[in-house]
């Protein structure tokens, strides 16, 4: 299945392919940032024994 996706990307217009890859990359970066932020807030609330914040 992964090979099919790679083959499709090879046949795409390079500009469209680059735009899609950039969007996927940015989405992953944003997701990772939000996840780290939430985990940091959870750690902080646990450290301070703040049930409401948790």
């Amino acid at each position: 299945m992964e090979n099919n996706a790679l083959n499709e990307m090879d046949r795409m217009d390079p500009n469209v392919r680059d735009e899609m890859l950039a969007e996927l990359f940015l989405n992953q970066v944003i997701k990772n940032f939000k996840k780290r932020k939430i985990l940091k807030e959870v750690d902080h609330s646990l450290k301070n024994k703040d049930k409401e914040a948790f």
Side-chain angles (χ1 to χ4, degrees), residues 12-47:
M12 286 182 130
D13 178 87
N15 292 329
V16 173
R17 183 186 64 224
D18 291 347
E19 184 178 331
M20 288 176 66
L21 289 173
E23 188 171 347
L24 287 169
F25 174 77
L26 288 174
N27 286 339
Q28 188 64 43
V29 169
I30 291 167
K31 180 181 171 185
N32 290 344
F33 174 80
K34 288 178 179 180
K35 182 178 178 181
R36 281 194 312 271
K37 184 178 178 187
I38 290 169
L39 289 174
K40 186 176 178 180
E41 290 173 4
V42 167
D43 288 344
H44 183 73
S45 64
L46 288 172
K47 180 180 175 184

